[in-house]
């Protein structure tokens, strides 16, 4: 999995600028003046109380104001997911899934031809939620595109809201899915202890 540093790990925005430190060249000064970079301070080195070098943030998200450096692991971004809401609509099916990562309560409902086919609400284990979060990272969920779209005579739509500490990220598709959708759907069904076909 490649890590793209210039995508915000909190909100997925590509509107990210550099934070620059030290004595700036004229080129960098111009970037700061034009709002295309942020001046972080005279020195690029700070030490904590134990004398260890602190990793200063070198990227700033213009959308949610998050700051991060290369060492900030993607795992942290996934740990910030609080809730995932998924809706899938096909001509015969309406599926609603609500996964509350924070309190481990999960709910799903599948309506098939206007009748409830299956529905459940339960609390899942800490282990199950932790495994789910690591699988979300495995399927690159936070780096899915905001919209997948394809021409089709069918009308299949899905939307996903990823609620994080400070922001919400939206993903959706019209007759199209990310390449690892099936893996995502599989681990989601496993968390819900069911199979949902549509
Ligand atoms: Zn952001």
């Amino acid at each position: 999995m490649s890590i793209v540093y210039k995508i915000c790990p909190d909100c997925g925005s590509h509107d990210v600028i550099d934070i620059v430190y030290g004595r700036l060249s004229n080129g960098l000064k111009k970037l700061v003046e034009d709002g295309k970079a942020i001046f972080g301070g005279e020195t690029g080195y700070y030490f904590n109380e134990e004398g260890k070098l602190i990793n200063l943030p070198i990227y700033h998200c213009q959308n949610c104001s998050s700051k991060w450096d290369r060492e900030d692991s993607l795992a942290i971004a996934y740990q910030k997911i609080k809730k995932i809401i998924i809706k899938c609509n096909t001509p015969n099916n309406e599926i609603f899934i609500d996964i509350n990562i924070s309190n481990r309560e999960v709910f799903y409902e599948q309506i098939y031809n206007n009748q409830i086919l299956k529905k459940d609400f339960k609390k899942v284990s800490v282990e199950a939620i932790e495994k789910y979060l690591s699988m979300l990272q495995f399927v690159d969920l936070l780096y899915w595109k905001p919209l997948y779209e394809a021409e089709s005579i069918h009308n299949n739509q899905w939307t996903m809201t990823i609620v994080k500490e400070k922001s919400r990220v939206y993903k959706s598709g019209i007759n199209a899915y990310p390449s690892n959708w099936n893996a995502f759907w599989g681990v989601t069904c496993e968390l819900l202890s069911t199979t949902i076909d549509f």
Side-chain angles (χ1 to χ4, degrees):
M1 188 172 63
S2 65
I3 300 172
V4 184
Y5 300 113
K6 287 214 169 186
I7 295 177
C8 175
D10 279 322
C11 75
S13 172
H14 291 248
D15 191 2
V16 169
I17 58 174
D18 292 333
I19 304 172
V20 292
Y21 297 89
R23 290 186 61 185
L24 305 186
S25 65
N26 287 336
L28 281 178
K29 275 182 191 158
K30 179 87 171 71
L31 282 179
V32 171
E33 280 165 18
D34 293 347
K36 290 174 181 152
I38 288 179
F39 181 55
E42 294 291 336
T43 170
Y45 304 98
Y46 289 96
F47 297 89
N48 67 14
E49 287 169 356
E50 287 145 20
K52 279 191 174 172
L53 195 62
I54 294 168
N55 285 321
L56 294 170
I58 55 169
Y59 299 112
H60 173 91
C61 174
Q62 300 274 69
N63 185 48
C64 75
S65 299
S66 257
K67 296 175 177 62
W68 69 99
D69 66 20
R70 287 193 190 87
E71 304 298 316
D72 284 340
S73 73
L74 263 181
I76 292 171
Y78 284 87
Q79 293 299 327
K80 287 181 180 169
I81 298 175
K82 299 295 164 207
K83 196 185 222 296
I84 298 177
I85 300 158
I86 308 154
K87 291 177 195 169
C88 304
N89 284 14
T90 71
N92 293 325
N93 287 284
E94 281 174 61
I95 295 158
F96 178 80
I97 298 171
D98 185 318
I99 297 167
N100 190 325
I101 305 283
S102 303
N103 67 10
R104 295 184 279 113
E105 287 175 353
V106 299
F107 172 81
Y108 67 86
E109 181 178 65
Q110 181 175 19
I111 296 171
Y112 180 76
N113 286 337
N114 300 318
Q115 306 227 318
I116 294 174
L117 184 68
K118 50 177 71 179
K119 179 177 179 171
D120 197 14
F121 172 81
K122 68 179 116 192
K123 190 142 182 158
V124 299
S125 69
V126 175
E127 293 74 27
I129 281 289
E130 279 175 2
K131 183 182 176 192
Y132 188 63
L133 280 178
S134 69
M135 289 310 291
L136 293 182
Q137 189 174 348
F138 182 73
V139 302
D140 270 343
L141 184 76
L142 292 177
Y143 290 152
W144 286 8
K145 292 191 294 182
L147 175 64
Y148 293 81
E149 210 171 358
E151 293 289 334
S152 170
I153 54 160
H154 304 292
N155 186 18
N156 297 341
Q157 297 198 9
W158 61 274
T159 62
M160 183 185 303
T161 306
I162 304 167
V163 181
K164 307 185 78 184
E165 275 172 12
K166 291 185 287 187
S167 59
R168 281 165 184 253
V169 182
Y170 302 97
K171 316 278 183 191
S172 61
I174 301 168
N175 300 313
Y177 300 85
S179 60
N180 31 27
W181 172 271
N182 286 344
F184 165 74
W185 197 252
V187 295
T188 301
C189 286
E190 192 183 323
L191 180 74
L192 302 172
S193 313
T194 187
T195 52
I196 302 174
D197 300 315
F198 67 97

